[in-house]
Amino acid sequence: MGVFDDLVGQERAAVALRRAAEGAAEMLAGGSGAGMTHAWLFTGPPGSGREAAARAFAAALFCPDQGCGHCDMCHQVAIGSHPDLEIVRTEGLSYGIKETRQLILRAAGAPTLGRWRVVLFEGADRMPERASNALLKAIEEPPPKTVWLLCTPSPADLVITIRSRCRVVTLVTPPTAAVAHALVTRDNIPPDMAEFVARATQGHLERARRLALDPEMRARREAVLSIPRSLTGVGECVIAAERLVDTAKKEADAVSSALDEGETAELRKIYGEGSSGKGLNKGLIRGGAGAIKDLEKLQKSRATRTQRDVIDAALLDLVAFYRDVLAMQFGAPVELANEDRRADLESLTRSSTPEDTLRRIDAIMRCRERLAANVNPQMAVEAMTISLHRPQL
């Protein structure tokens, strides 16, 4: 099985990337390299597999057989150990100018194994304007064997000067049946569960996998989807908002604390804390305090982003719920993401109008925008729950 066979529901993109990998091999042999370029932009909705497609393409560039899926090159890319592949993940709220400049310097180096040097930038939409301008120069004049793979939900998430210099690979939401089939065949998830989570996550493969394997995640989803029914008054709206934000904070704290403790201990060790012997002391050596402060800043930013991501996932579940309500109000013959909550959907369908439902969806989307703009989560979610209770306001 080749690396492109793993891209669930992305047959058209897989064909284009396979041809480009063949063109890259021709380029290395002195040919024209048809279809190959040095800057790529992978776009698509959440769950479409942007990063998976970019990683598969990176493997195909390194592989002598353009992505066979079983050679050493493909294996190294799969586990993230290939010396010529750098995967950039924006763990904090944004990827700053300093980090971008350092990345550009590293990307300019010659490949270790002689084929390509590939930078796979996940979440490239998190670059602020100054960082984007710095990256533009590197994309305009890349070294001959450096390839940039940028991943964003939409081409509009990058400044036009960058996206105009990239070849765009557009991914789509995988069909529910394709996601369910992948879960059954790859993860041995029972067919009924696979179909349920594939439908509930609207084709988001990774979320579907986690939902199938994690009972706590299924319980959190149930709590979120019970919110519309619980909003019987303003007091209940405030309570629901507080509960949602508090749950997100606890989950973010659990994730962050597990990472923070190990990172801090490792950094202190690097800077000599606790060392013994001639010329050493038990405190941090010069520069250690500043490095610890920078790490703490990064960890705080990561915790904030994790909390926002948890809340955002809950908001997307609510959007899917009201989308189902709207579909039922119009009698649209579409698959319902929340078929398991049909009683709640039917109740809200009867007690509200399509205009109410659209206002509720707008309220959720405004909440997402406010959170992205650093509005206090409690205030943003409270405003949303009140609007869900009283959509006419």
Side-chain angles (χ1 to χ4, degrees):
M1 177 182 290
V3 293
F4 296 116
D5 295 328
D6 289 336
L7 303 183
V8 177
Q10 308 296 344
E11 289 76 13
R12 181 176 298 181
V15 170
L17 292 172
R18 187 178 290 109
R19 288 174 179 169
E22 293 169 354
E26 293 176 2
M27 183 182 293
L28 291 175
S32 61
M36 180 58 186
T37 185
H38 288 275
W40 295 76
L41 178 56
F42 292 79
T43 71
S48 58
R50 298 183 300 265
E51 290 78 15
R55 190 185 286 260
F57 185 49
L61 292 177
F62 295 133
C63 175
D65 295 317
Q66 291 76 61
C68 66
H70 53 76
C71 69
D72 288 343
M73 297 294 102
C74 291
H75 177 68
Q76 288 175 2
V77 171
I79 65 176
S81 65
H82 195 287
D84 292 326
L85 173 64
E86 177 160 0
I87 300 177
V88 181
R89 294 185 176 93
T90 51
E91 292 188 332
L93 296 174
S94 64
Y95 198 78
I97 181 67
K98 180 180 178 181
E99 294 89 347
T100 302
R101 286 172 175 164
Q102 293 172 345
L103 174 64
I104 292 170
L105 288 175
R106 295 195 300 273
T112 303
L113 301 181
R115 292 180 69 85
W116 302 99
R117 186 167 186 82
V118 178
V119 180
L120 197 171
F121 200 143
E122 300 179 0
D125 53 305
R126 294 182 184 270
M127 282 188 298
E129 184 177 356
R130 289 184 64 203
S132 297
N133 291 335
L135 181 62
L136 173 61
K137 183 69 173 178
I139 290 179
E140 284 181 324
E141 301 175 5
K145 290 190 176 182
T146 296
V147 180
W148 290 88
L149 310 179
L150 310 179
C151 302
T152 70
S154 167
D157 293 325
L158 288 182
V159 295
I160 190 170
T161 47
I162 289 182
R163 66 175 186 260
S164 65
R165 288 163 175 79
C166 297
R167 180 175 175 185
V168 179
V169 178
T170 303
L171 305 176
V172 299
T173 299
T176 298
V179 173
H181 177 74
L183 294 174
V184 171
T185 56
R186 299 181 189 179
D187 302 286
N188 295 319
I189 293 172
D192 289 346
M193 174 63 77
E195 183 178 352
F196 160 67
V197 296
R199 185 175 61 248
T201 58
Q202 302 177 82
H204 194 307
L205 179 60
E206 288 306 314
R207 282 195 70 203
R209 181 178 290 114
R210 294 197 303 271
L211 189 62
L213 300 176
D214 186 352
E216 291 185 3
M217 186 175 178
R218 294 198 294 274
R220 287 194 296 271
R221 174 181 175 271
E222 285 295 310
V224 168
L225 295 179
S226 69
I227 288 177
R229 184 180 58 193
S230 71
L231 302 180
T232 56
V234 174
E236 287 76 12
C237 293
V238 173
I239 292 172
E242 183 178 2
R243 189 172 298 154
L244 177 58
V245 173
D246 185 59
T247 299
K249 187 177 187 306
K250 288 179 179 178
E251 185 172 345
D253 288 344
V255 172
S256 299
S257 61
L259 296 171
D260 294 353
E261 185 176 346
E263 290 173 344
T264 302
E266 182 64 24
L267 189 60
R268 288 183 176 277
K269 182 179 179 181
I270 291 173
Y271 278 92
E273 185 176 69
S275 301
S276 60
K278 189 175 181 179
L280 298 175
N281 57 61
K282 294 185 179 181
L284 294 174
I285 63 175
R286 181 176 298 177
I292 291 293
K293 187 175 181 180
D294 289 343
L295 177 61
E296 290 174 347
K297 182 179 179 180
L298 173 63
Q299 291 171 340
K300 183 178 179 181
S301 177
R302 180 174 61 198
T304 301
R305 178 188 166 186
T306 302
Q307 182 183 7
R308 285 186 189 173
D309 288 347
V310 173
I311 295 176
D312 194 62
L315 298 183
L316 290 176
D317 284 337
L318 285 175
V319 168
F321 178 89
Y322 286 110
R323 188 218 66 162
D324 286 350
V325 172
L326 191 64
M328 294 179 70
Q329 287 172 330
F330 281 111
V334 297
E335 179 182 69
L336 300 180
N338 300 283
E339 180 66 43
D340 57 310
R341 314 268 321 175
R342 178 170 281 274
D344 289 347
L345 295 173
E346 291 177 342
S347 175
L348 201 52
T349 296
R350 292 190 298 267
S351 64
S352 63
T353 66
E355 290 78 11
D356 290 336
T357 304
L358 287 172
R359 292 190 190 103
R360 285 172 167 135
I361 293 174
D362 285 343
I364 300 171
M365 300 310 290
R366 282 198 303 274
C367 182
R368 296 185 70 204
E369 292 172 358
R370 289 166 177 168
L371 291 172
N374 289 325
V375 173
N376 179 278
Q378 183 68 33
M379 295 177 61
V381 177
E382 277 185 16
M384 179 198 72
T385 54
I386 291 173
S387 294
L388 295 180
H389 173 53
R390 298 177 176 174
Q392 68 279 8
L393 295 180

